[in-house]
Amino acid sequence: MLLLHRLTWFRVALAWGVFTLFMILLVYGQALTSGLSVHWRTAVLGPLVYGIIGTLLTPVVFELATRFNLTAGRRRWLAYLLVHAVASVLITVLYRASYLTLLYLMAVPGVRLSWAAILGSVNVWIPIYWMVLFVAYALDFYHKWQHRSLEAARLETQLVQAQLHALKQQLNPHFLFNTLNALSTLIEDEPRTAQRMTAKLGEFLRLVLDHTEAQQVPLAEELHFVQLYLDIEQVRFSNRLTFTHHVVPAALPALVPHLLLQPLIENAVRHGLAAVGGGSIHLQAHRQGEQLMLEVHNSGSSPHADSVRGVGLANTEQRLRTLYGSRYVLTLRSGAEQGTVVRLELPFQTK
């Protein structure tokens, strides 16, 4: 317990100053209600000297609380309790002697300087020592509670970051595996096409590596990643794949999870278009109040009611759950005429 290094004279003086003001008002209030006159020296100097001596002795009590810590365990608890019992008597006697001496020197009416006056009310003032001791331990408990709360929040943040990083890293090899498979089929039959595809893949991977630590990026940057990915798929599908998008400018600064759209587009290509040899993909995004609305629509087959979600879609939903809790919507439905629509509703956040 390190109480003293957190104890500032300003805080101690402020606490005793408030107490002194309260005592002055109390003395005057009692005099007014009882109809008795009270000398201003008694009403003002008494509480004022009381507060000044209390300010000077409080660090001593805090030091004793640190050296003989009653909250440290049972081993020396009884011995420390006896130390504080003796200290409470000695410090109270010191306080009373100082208090009466100063009032006597300032000629406060009715003050007698004698051992009888000093010791006569020591038992009344001893609880002040224990009250200050209780405040010292209460402040220490509060500081420890605050420290534990901050530490728990820091650990929770690290855990979430680790989970998000792991989920994100699962996407890269998944995409890489599919692209390399496509490349292997092109190398012998269409070497020039494979060469262009390899160059696009290299550029895409370079950008992914540049954003390895980023969990969220503006939608404008995410669209750039999607365009690079589609450039790779365009090499494979040639003119059989059409990509259109409608993104309102107000939606471009919105933060979205990095590599959010790529697995959705990849699913649209792999499950919706590849089976029929081609088709179209349409992406649209707009802001609706405090929500960012995203839709990925492919012209392939409609989803079955009992379809099992693949790795990309399941991984995407887990990332959204980790980032936003229950503040997101991800739905998969049939298009108005044909195909599949993936719809996302995310909190609209910007940097």
Side-chain angles (χ1 to χ4, degrees):
M1 183 171 66
L2 297 174
L3 288 170
L4 278 177
H5 85 282
R6 300 195 300 273
L7 186 66
T8 63
W9 283 108
F10 174 76
R11 291 183 179 179
V12 175
L14 181 64
W16 282 103
V18 172
F19 185 75
T20 300
L21 182 61
F22 171 76
M23 291 300 294
I24 291 174
L25 295 175
L26 182 64
V27 171
Y28 268 112
Q30 288 177 339
L32 289 175
T33 54
S34 62
L36 298 175
S37 62
V38 59
H39 196 279
W40 72 269
R41 289 175 182 270
T42 303
V44 176
L45 293 182
L48 186 60
V49 171
Y50 182 89
I52 292 174
I53 298 176
T55 301
L56 295 174
L57 290 180
T58 294
V60 177
V61 180
F62 271 60
E63 175 65 23
L64 291 172
T66 304
R67 288 179 177 273
F68 307 101
N69 187 1
L70 292 174
T71 65
R74 298 180 180 179
R75 186 180 174 188
R76 297 182 178 178
W77 186 81
L78 183 58
Y80 288 171
L81 185 63
L82 291 174
V83 170
H84 285 295
V86 173
S88 66
V89 174
L90 294 178
I91 289 178
T92 303
V93 171
L94 175 64
Y95 158 75
R96 287 291 296 167
S98 305
Y99 176 71
L100 291 176
T101 300
L102 288 173
L103 292 185
Y104 181 78
L105 294 175
M106 288 186 288
V108 174
V111 174
R112 292 181 298 107
L113 186 58
S114 65
W115 280 111
I118 293 172
L119 301 177
S121 58
V122 164
N123 60 321
V124 177
W125 297 98
I126 283 178
I128 300 296
Y129 174 91
W130 293 96
M131 183 186 73
V132 176
L133 195 69
F134 173 79
V135 170
Y137 290 131
L139 289 175
D140 188 55
F141 277 120
Y142 174 71
H143 173 76
K144 288 177 179 174
W145 173 80
Q146 242 186 350
H147 180 73
R148 282 196 294 268
S149 298
L150 289 174
E151 186 66 14
R154 188 182 64 81
L155 291 175
E156 187 175 354
T157 302
Q158 284 183 343
L159 177 62
V160 170
Q161 289 292 332
Q163 289 173 337
L164 288 171
H165 187 71
L167 289 169
K168 186 179 167 185
Q169 292 308 310
Q170 287 179 16
L171 294 174
N172 296 338
H174 189 66
F175 158 74
L176 192 59
F177 175 77
N178 291 333
T179 306
L180 290 176
N181 268 348
L183 272 173
S184 66
T185 61
L186 291 172
I187 286 176
E188 290 188 3
D189 300 333
E190 302 178 52
R192 290 185 178 276
T193 302
Q195 192 175 13
R196 291 203 311 273
M197 194 171 180
T198 303
K200 294 287 184 183
L201 176 62
E203 185 180 356
F204 180 86
L205 292 179
R206 182 181 59 79
L207 286 177
V208 169
L209 289 175
D210 288 344
H211 292 75
T212 300
E213 300 301 324
Q215 289 298 344
Q216 289 180 296
V217 296
L219 179 61
E221 289 186 26
E222 187 66 11
L223 290 175
H224 181 56
F225 278 99
V226 168
Q227 190 58 59
L228 274 176
Y229 169 76
L230 284 168
D231 285 346
I232 296 171
E233 294 295 340
Q234 202 77 52
V235 173
R236 184 157 65 106
F237 282 88
S238 186
N239 57 358
R240 290 174 294 148
L241 173 63
T242 304
F243 175 68
T244 58
H245 67 270
H246 176 68
V247 179
V248 298
L252 291 174
L255 290 177
V256 296
H258 186 214
L259 297 180
L260 169 73
L261 295 176
Q262 183 270 328
L264 302 182
I265 300 289
E266 183 181 353
N267 273 348
V269 172
R270 190 153 58 98
H271 300 296
L273 309 180
V276 295
S280 64
I281 295 174
H282 180 69
L283 168 69
Q284 63 182 44
H286 67 279
R287 179 176 183 175
Q288 184 173 313
E290 295 304 314
Q291 296 290 104
L292 174 67
M293 318 298 285
L294 289 165
E295 280 191 4
V296 177
H297 182 195
N298 73 63
S299 60
S301 58
S302 300
H304 298 290
D306 55 349
S307 297
V308 178
R309 295 186 175 186
V311 173
L313 200 56
N315 206 335
T316 297
E317 184 155 24
Q318 193 171 345
R319 290 182 71 199
L320 294 176
R321 192 181 306 116
T322 305
L323 272 172
Y324 305 117
S326 59
R327 298 179 298 130
Y328 79 95
V329 174
L330 189 157
T331 58
L332 190 67
R333 60 177 172 80
S334 299
E337 297 180 357
Q338 63 175 357
T340 302
V341 177
V342 177
R343 180 182 176 83
L344 291 169
E345 297 179 25
L346 308 178
F348 192 94
Q349 301 171 338
T350 58
K351 283 185 178 177

